[in-house]
Amino acid sequence: MMKEQLIKAMQRNQFLNMMYMAKDGTMSQRRIKIIKIVSNSFQAYCFKRQASAHL
């Protein structure tokens, strides 16, 4: 179900808000745009870091 929502957001060029937990346990909210979906992971552009990441 989540994968279908990510695919729709990517097809519609929508931005998503997500909660992110860093390795040290701190939480932050990120605004992302899905770039590519492969199997059970995806690549997105993070507007906070101004970089792409594999999630």
Side-chain angles (χ1 to χ4, degrees):
M1 287 185 208
M2 180 63 73
K3 188 173 182 177
E4 289 85 14
Q5 292 175 344
L6 293 173
I7 291 169
K8 284 182 185 179
M10 183 178 72
Q11 291 171 338
R12 296 174 181 168
N13 289 317
Q14 293 176 322
F15 301 128
L16 302 172
N17 292 314
M18 64 175 266
M19 295 300 294
Y20 173 80
M21 183 184 294
K23 290 179 183 178
D24 66 2
T26 58
M27 300 279 292
S28 66
Q29 186 171 346
R30 303 290 175 96
R31 187 165 180 84
I32 64 168
K33 181 178 178 187
I34 307 295
I35 298 170
K36 176 171 62 171
I37 299 173
V38 180
S39 189
N40 290 326
S41 65
F42 63 92
Q43 182 178 3
Y45 181 81
C46 174
F47 290 94
K48 181 175 182 171
R49 297 287 180 205
Q50 297 183 348
S52 64
H54 291 276
L55 305 169

